Amino acid sequence: QSPAAGAALQNGVGEYNVTVSAGSAHCGVVYRVVDRTAPTLTACPGDKFFAPTCTYPVALPSLMGSLGVSENCGPNVFGIQSPASGSAINAPGSVMVYFNVSDDAGNVNPYQCVTNVTFFAPFNYPPTPMAASFNTTPSTIVTTYTFGATQTVSLDYVKPTSDCSPITCAVTNVINSQSPPDVPGYTIVDDRHVTLSTFLVGAAARTYNITVQCGDNQNRTTSSYGVVTILPPSF
């Protein structure tokens, strides 16, 4: 007899022959193995707790790795999570997550297990501080006799990091040591460039303190500043 008695048979169609002991006569039999038994849930994920580090919405994670399943005719078993992983959770609270399983033959276990997933209010870590100061290029400007001359300086700094991205930065203040200060004295081009007036009133040197402030989407900020010195023309 082939396949031999006791051989493991898989889903599908196969053929084997039986030899009659009275002679060499053969007969062919077509067999079909049909799986009509759904897989069994043996373990359900325990209750879960999450505290997002930023703000809502957040994505529901996959909990399928904690699901226990037994299948009589394998090897493939398919888990079903509802709501599905990646579903948006829009506010703190509890979410009931249901699990079910099916197999290659389309058998679905009619029983579900349920896990309670709790989402807490966001827990925010503080953003990393900026460096104590940053560089400007040029940091010293020597003026000429040109009336109302200007010089654009580049602000060289490293943005802080935060668990709540994106980080945005802006020039928030430019203090001119000239008394009275020039008007306008400076123009903010963008978060990396400021145009300064190099026209001096009198022969005194003048210093600009340029402040840059960076923040994340939780309105947490950190600041730093750079210094530019403008010297009067030499005669």
Side-chain angles (χ1 to χ4, degrees):
Q1 174 180 325
S2 177
L9 305 179
Q10 300 297 320
N11 285 349
V13 179
E15 186 174 296
Y16 63 89
N17 295 320
V18 177
T19 301
V20 179
S21 60
S24 59
H26 294 77
C27 66
V29 178
V30 177
Y31 69 85
R32 180 184 297 271
V33 178
V34 179
D35 179 10
R36 300 187 184 277
T37 303
T40 303
L41 288 166
T42 60
C44 194
D47 291 347
K48 304 295 182 182
F49 303 91
F50 297 98
T53 57
C54 291
T55 187
Y56 286 89
V58 297
L60 179 69
S62 172
L63 305 177
M64 297 300 297
S66 302
L67 193 66
V69 181
S70 175
E71 165 64 357
N72 70 314
C73 194
N76 295 323
V77 179
F78 307 98
I80 304 167
Q81 173 181 313
S82 179
S85 62
S87 297
I89 306 299
N90 295 312
S94 295
V95 178
M96 305 303 292
V97 181
Y98 298 85
F99 300 90
N100 212 327
V101 288
S102 62
D103 59 20
D104 280 332
N107 299 305
V108 179
N109 192 313
Y111 301 101
Q112 293 179 320
C113 69
V114 182
T115 293
N116 184 60
V117 181
T118 301
F119 288 88
F120 296 111
F123 179 78
N124 296 322
Y125 295 91
T128 60
M130 296 180 68
S133 62
F134 55 80
N135 297 321
T136 55
T137 305
S139 59
T140 300
I141 300 171
V142 179
T143 58
T144 67
Y145 294 104
T146 305
F147 181 82
T150 60
Q151 175 73 51
T152 299
V153 296
S154 299
L155 311 178
D156 180 19
Y157 59 89
V158 178
K159 283 186 178 182
T161 59
S162 171
D163 54 302
C164 298
S165 295
I167 297 291
T168 57
C169 299
V171 177
T172 58
N173 195 21
V174 180
I175 299 176
N176 179 0
S177 65
Q178 180 75 23
S179 182
D182 288 347
V183 180
Y186 65 89
T187 301
I188 297 173
V189 180
D190 54 35
D191 64 325
R192 293 280 179 175
H193 300 90
V194 175
T195 298
L196 305 176
S197 169
T198 63
F199 173 67
L200 291 176
V201 178
R206 180 181 56 206
T207 300
Y208 282 103
N209 288 326
I210 306 170
T211 301
V212 170
Q213 179 173 281
C214 297
D216 60 20
N217 63 15
Q218 293 295 297
N219 296 318
R220 300 172 302 170
T221 60
T222 179
S223 300
S224 188
Y225 69 93
V227 177
V228 176
T229 301
I230 296 181
L231 300 177
S234 57
F235 295 95

